[in-house]
């Protein structure tokens, strides 16, 4: 059952060493869902060979964070510098990994001097029967 659908990041990201996170006000909401489906797009991207990586991180105390899955949910997607680039990802089967109380998205660009607008929505699903 769908629990929520929310825009959790809407901002400009610049630099291959910069890591940004989804807004912390959504950490508890993202953590309440068994599965997260990620979708969004980039626009006005600049740089040489720009890529986007989005990784779900989770925490039991909202302070110490770990990757929810071994591989990033959006892993090195090549971005266009002439058009919007849609992307999507999914955090996998909740029966094969633990889900902690809080979750967030770690967002990073790759390539040489990348920059661009990134907008990300997350749909949370609960696998509980009821």
């Amino acid at each position: 059952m769908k629990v929520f659908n929310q825009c959790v990041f809407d901002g400009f990201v610049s630099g291959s060493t910069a890591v940004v996170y989804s807004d912390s006000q959504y950490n508890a909401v993202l953590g309440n869902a068994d599965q997260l489906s990620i979708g969004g797009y980039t626009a006005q991207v600049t740089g040489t060979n720009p890529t986007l990586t989005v990784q779900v991180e989770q925490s039991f105390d909202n302070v110490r964070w770990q990757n929810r899955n071994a591989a990033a949910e959006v892993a090195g997607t090549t971005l266009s510098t002439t058009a919007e680039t849609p992307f999507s990802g999914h955090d996998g089967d909740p029966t094969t990994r633990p889900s902690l109380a809080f979750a967030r998205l770690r967002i990073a660009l790759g390539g040489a001097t990348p920059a661009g607008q990134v907008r990300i929505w997350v749909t949370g699903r609960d696998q509980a029967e009821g």
Side-chain angles (χ1 to χ4, degrees):
M1 155 174 58
K2 184 169 89 169
V3 177
F4 66 87
N5 184 34
Q6 182 69 49
C7 182
V8 299
F9 186 83
D10 185 3
F12 194 81
V13 181
S14 179
S16 59
T17 59
V19 173
V20 295
Y21 297 94
S22 54
D23 194 317
S24 62
Q25 71 177 328
Y26 301 115
N27 291 356
V29 173
L30 294 174
N32 282 333
D34 291 333
Q35 292 181 304
L36 300 177
S37 295
I38 301 164
Y41 69 92
T42 61
Q44 302 171 345
V45 174
T46 61
T48 304
N49 301 319
T51 62
L52 173 71
T53 299
V54 180
Q55 175 86 51
V56 176
E57 294 183 341
Q58 62 181 1
S59 172
F60 64 91
D61 61 2
N62 213 17
V63 176
R64 293 168 282 199
W65 295 90
Q66 65 185 38
N67 293 342
R68 183 178 272 187
N69 295 294
E73 288 70 23
V74 177
T77 298
T78 300
L79 305 178
S80 172
T81 57
T82 59
E84 293 180 353
T85 304
F87 60 87
S88 63
H90 191 273
D91 75 346
D93 183 355
T95 62
T96 62
R97 55 151 168 81
S99 295
L100 300 179
F102 303 98
R104 68 182 182 184
L105 302 183
R106 183 179 69 235
I107 303 147
L109 297 178
T113 63
Q117 178 72 29
V118 180
R119 185 171 285 167
I120 303 173
W121 286 267
V122 175
T123 299
R125 298 194 181 277
D126 185 5
Q127 297 302 308
E129 295 183 31

